[in-house]
Amino acid sequence: MPASELGEAKKELKTRVVVIIAVAIVVAIVSGMFIIAYLICKSRTKFKEKMENSVIIDRRIESQKEELELPFFDLATIEKATDNFSSKYKLGEGGFGPVYKGTLIDGQEIAVKRLSQSSGQGLNEFINEVQLIAKLQHRNLVRLLGCCIEAEEKMLIYEYMANKSLDSFIFDQARGKILPWSRRFHIINGIARGLLYLHEDSRLRIIHRDLKASNVLLDSEMNPKISDFGLARTFEKNQTEGNTNRVVGTYGYMAPEYAIDGLFSIKSDVFSFGILLLEIISGKKNRGFYHPNHSLNLIGHAWKLWREGRPLELIDMCSDDPCTLPEMLRCIHEKIHLMQIHHRASINYLQPMRCLLHY
């Protein structure tokens, strides 16, 4: 090819490359602008919806102040009690938001559950918890002392539980050793009493839907108290079952019919109680359970040991007192009984818990 034609070909190729790059840049800029505009619009819509929900909740709580008979704390009081939400007083954080320890002017210790600004479901959980737990009174349920609704802040104020949650003991080898069987049995009975109250004795029949080790708090004397009613649902006295398209809770504690089909009832909580029972006895988590000799989960492992006549191998701690062995076996038997009757609707699910309490 002559040199003159080769030069023109190079110039033409260079021009095409420049045009392609320019077009690509323009398309990228225009696309970026559309994406940014969409995100801003979406963000504003979410913020607007959140603010509207927040206003609705404020009005609903304001209209129910007298009915709830719940003290309202001002923001300044809570900020002073928590040293302006200092990180050194932070107890933990969940889907609702962070929890802080605080001390009121009179010396009373409190736990402050602060709704996170980025919490998606927190607003609904907040109003749900205020409406439900404010009307509940039982020694094995955590006590709601009041709430704070000011500016954009929404907080629940609870009694402070010195020993935090049950999972911090039973799943920790060092701390688990200071939790003897007598104390574990006391905790099991306390949880059962609280659950029976929710299902039968309270003014409202309440399905907790998220009973697990981290939602059982322990006071200074290691008395258990069921907490976190953000996902709870109420039933009419003659209602036996509910259905939902939005399954909430914690996998590993959910009854199969709830996890798969969204069906929940008092049986759902009792199934969760059974899982919790196994975890307290064994010191092992149901989720992530591993055994070197088989691939069964904790429930399957417990069933295997029971059928082979070796149920005591499930127990986490050793006991020098032979009198405690019948209690241990009783707890294992009640869980096995719950497993056997799980799909038989004619069986009263609360009976195993009653037997345990009267034992």
Side-chain angles (χ1 to χ4, degrees):
M1 180 181 291
S4 59
E5 292 183 9
L6 183 62
E8 290 178 2
K10 286 183 177 179
K11 288 181 180 180
E12 184 178 349
L13 179 61
K14 187 176 180 181
T15 303
R16 287 180 181 178
V17 171
V18 171
V19 170
I20 291 172
I21 291 174
V23 170
I25 292 173
V26 170
V27 170
I29 292 173
V30 172
S31 299
M33 292 176 65
F34 275 114
I35 292 172
I36 292 172
Y38 171 76
L39 292 175
I40 292 174
C41 183
K42 188 175 180 180
S43 176
R44 286 180 177 176
T45 302
K46 283 187 175 180
F47 179 76
K48 185 179 179 181
E49 289 177 355
K50 187 174 180 180
M51 292 303 296
E52 288 175 351
N53 290 337
S54 180
V55 171
I56 291 172
I57 287 175
D58 290 353
R59 289 174 179 173
R60 285 173 65 181
I61 295 178
E62 188 71 28
S63 65
Q64 296 178 7
K65 270 188 177 182
E66 294 183 3
E67 181 184 345
L68 292 174
E69 298 178 355
L70 190 66
F72 280 70
F73 292 80
D74 59 78
L75 181 58
T77 299
I78 302 303
E79 287 178 334
K80 185 174 182 180
T82 60
D83 192 15
N84 200 23
F85 304 106
S86 171
S87 58
K88 65 181 178 180
Y89 292 123
K90 189 175 180 178
L91 300 175
E93 185 164 359
F96 183 97
V99 181
Y100 298 88
K101 179 185 176 181
T103 305
L104 299 176
I105 297 176
D106 60 3
Q108 182 181 9
E109 293 183 319
I110 58 174
V112 180
K113 195 173 181 181
R114 187 185 189 189
L115 177 64
S116 172
Q117 297 297 322
S118 60
S119 176
Q121 190 61 24
L123 289 170
N124 293 330
E125 292 176 10
F126 180 89
I127 187 65
N128 197 50
E129 196 149 355
V130 169
Q131 289 178 326
L132 289 184
I133 201 170
K135 300 176 182 178
L136 301 177
Q137 296 292 333
H138 191 273
R139 61 181 178 176
N140 293 118
L141 303 181
V142 68
R143 189 159 61 99
L144 181 65
L145 302 177
C147 64
C148 174
I149 303 174
E150 191 171 324
E152 293 184 5
E153 293 285 357
K154 290 175 176 54
M155 291 173 280
L156 298 172
I157 291 76
Y158 292 95
E159 58 179 329
Y160 175 68
M161 306 297 282
N163 284 305
K164 301 184 180 179
S165 58
L166 178 61
D167 62 331
S168 66
F169 280 89
I170 61 175
F171 300 141
D172 185 285
Q173 290 185 348
R175 300 188 80 191
K177 292 178 181 179
I178 63 175
L179 204 63
W181 170 249
S182 59
R183 182 59 64 186
R184 295 192 189 210
F185 191 65
H186 170 74
I187 290 171
I188 289 169
N189 275 279
I191 298 170
R193 288 191 185 96
L195 207 53
L196 277 172
Y197 170 78
L198 292 175
H199 291 170
E200 288 206 328
D201 300 328
S202 66
R203 288 186 292 172
L204 303 169
R205 171 170 284 183
I206 296 173
I207 315 300
H208 189 279
R209 295 205 299 171
D210 199 22
L211 183 65
K212 56 184 177 180
S214 59
N215 282 341
V216 175
L217 304 182
L218 303 170
D219 66 13
S220 57
E221 298 178 354
M222 300 298 285
N223 295 309
K225 301 195 178 188
I226 300 172
S227 69
D228 201 340
F229 288 79
L231 303 179
R233 293 285 290 270
T234 58
F235 273 9
E236 299 295 333
K237 289 300 180 182
N238 58 350
Q239 186 179 355
T240 59
E241 191 175 76
N243 194 2
T244 180
N245 293 324
R246 180 176 175 269
V247 175
V248 293
T250 305
Y251 287 106
Y253 292 91
M254 290 183 188
E257 69 275 10
Y258 178 52
I260 298 171
D261 299 319
L263 298 174
F264 62 93
S265 64
I266 59 174
K267 294 190 291 184
S268 309
D269 280 353
V270 178
F271 181 91
S272 302
F273 171 75
I275 299 297
L276 186 53
L277 193 65
L278 280 184
E279 292 183 331
I280 294 172
I281 294 169
S282 67
K284 303 290 192 300
K285 293 182 180 181
N286 185 43
R287 293 194 70 187
F289 174 78
Y290 169 77
H291 194 279
N293 298 331
H294 58 71
S295 59
L296 299 172
N297 59 16
L298 183 59
I299 299 175
H301 178 61
W303 177 239
K304 183 177 185 293
L305 292 178
W306 181 265
R307 293 184 64 184
E308 295 175 356
R310 301 183 292 134
L312 292 181
E313 293 182 23
L314 184 67
I315 297 171
D316 179 37
M317 75 303 290
C318 296
S319 175
D320 296 328
D321 185 0
C323 296
T324 63
L325 291 180
E327 291 179 348
M328 295 178 182
L329 288 171
R330 178 69 175 185
C331 288
I332 298 173
H333 174 264
E334 293 305 339
K335 172 53 188 169
I336 297 299
H337 183 43
L338 286 170
M339 288 165 58
Q340 290 173 325
I341 68 174
H342 182 252
H343 293 295
R344 289 157 56 187
S346 60
I347 300 294
N348 186 343
Y349 244 52
L350 298 177
Q351 190 58 36
M353 286 201 299
R354 291 196 188 94
C355 292
L356 183 64
L357 291 173
H358 292 309
Y359 180 74

